[in-house]
Amino acid sequence: MLNSIYDNVIKGDLESVKEGVTQALAAGHGSSDILNTAMIPAMQEVGRRFENEECYIPEMLISARAMHGGLEVLRPHLAKADVEPVGKVVLGTVKGDLHDIGKNLVGMLLEGAGFDVVDLGVNVSPEKFIEAIRQHKPDFVGLSALLTTTIPAMQATIDAFKDVGVRDQTIVMVGGAPVNQAFADKIGADIYAPNAASAAKKARAMLKRI
Ligand code: B12
């Protein structure tokens, strides 16, 4: 069952992915099992094929669409609806970057951990993040980037927070495939997390400390 979800994400067969995820849940597979053994490895395989020129952007896009469909089926299982918000997070993919699957997953698991999530979407300018900090007064701001060419926008965003005096009002969390702890330290972020589950865990732990 999980194998066919994996295959259908790679094929980009949206309806079969949604159906497969629904059936796997009904058969008792846990949502994180479905994510971590079928859906995420499928996107990694799509990335590997793209790198080796075995597939191209249209194929990546239809796989991404299928992945989104599957995530929407999983969403209620990842996010427990009846939890009192423990804090607020503003989340977005930085300027120039259109990847949002990982960010969306981070948002869903943060919701599941009890956070109120304000998702600004993709290609978010520093100004838009600043506006959201002023409007929502979030405990955390999460920046996502998937391209080596867009991770500098994380630095630019944090620098812009300092320039307008909002840097100390929020905890900055960064992530995305090309980001690591050393980079996060270098740009002055407060938290780096390699995946959505650890992002939610670290955010909860940080809230307890302050
Ligand atoms: C799907 C995809 C696309 C789709 C995106 C659709 C969408 N709606 O997201 C499309 C087709 C649009 C696309 C376009 C491009 N892509 Co692309 N894409 C991918 C692919 C295959 C999968 C990404 C993905 O969704 N992974 C699955 C998720 C679950 O993982 P994740 O994003 O890493 O997120 C996890 C963690 O990183 C972390 N995380 C993520 N965000 C955050 C945020 C916070 C705050 C925290 C704490 C944690 C965190 O938690 C997440 C969940 O566990 C990757 C390959 C790969 N292996 O990553 C290439 C990849 C990222 N793309 C790549 C490239 C080159 C491009 C293009 C430049 C191609 C082109 N020539 O036009 C364009 C750029 C467009 C743009 N301006 O952004 C390269 C990047 C290379 C590089 N080193 O920079 C990759 C690595 C492919 C490759 N192997 O070459 N792409």
Side-chain angles (χ1 to χ4, degrees), residues 67 71 91 99-108 144 146 196:
M67 177 86 176
L71 283 179
L91 199 58
H99 296 83
D100 68 356
I101 294 173
K103 166 190 69 65
N104 293 348
L105 206 46
V106 170
M108 285 181 200
S144 180
L146 260 284

Side-chain angles (χ1 to χ4, degrees), residues 12 15-16 37 46 57-58 66-67 69 78 109 117 124 135 153 168 172-173 186 200:
E15 289 312 317
S16 300
T37 60
V46 172
I57 293 171
M67 177 86 176
L78 294 171
L109 290 206
V117 176
V124 182
Q135 184 186 347
D168 296 335
V172 178
M173 184 160 61
K186 189 175 137 227

Side-chain angles (χ1 to χ4, degrees), residues 87-94 103 106 110 115-118 120 124-126 128-134 136-144 154 157-158 161 166-175 188-192 199 203:
K88 193 179 270 189
V89 185
V90 161
L91 199 58
T93 302
V94 295
K103 166 190 69 65
V106 170
L110 284 169
F115 287 91
D116 205 355
V117 176
V118 179
L120 302 180
V124 182
S125 64
K128 204 166 159 203
F129 276 113
I130 290 165
E131 202 182 299
I133 293 172
R134 290 185 170 140
H136 300 287
K137 307 199 177 349
D139 303 283
F140 297 90
V141 173
L143 309 178
S144 180
M154 288 181 153
T157 303
I158 294 176
F161 291 176
V166 300
R167 175 64 186 93
D168 296 335
Q169 295 171 19
T170 191
I171 298 165
V172 178
M173 184 160 61
V174 293
D190 301 302
I191 303 181
Y192 159 73

Side-chain angles (χ1 to χ4, degrees), residues 2 7 17 21 31 46 53 60 85 106 118 135 149 162 206:
L2 296 184
D7 289 339
V17 171
V21 172
S31 47
V46 172
E53 298 185 5
M60 269 209 288
V106 170
V118 179
Q135 184 186 347
T149 50
K162 287 183 194 153
M206 190 82 158

Side-chain angles (χ1 to χ4, degrees), residues 21 25 31 69-80 104 107-108 111-112 119:
V21 172
L25 286 167
S31 47
L71 283 179
E72 283 310 312
V73 178
L74 278 185
R75 180 190 282 273
H77 300 267
L78 294 171
K80 295 180 225 99
N104 293 348
M108 285 181 200
E111 278 176 17
D119 190 340

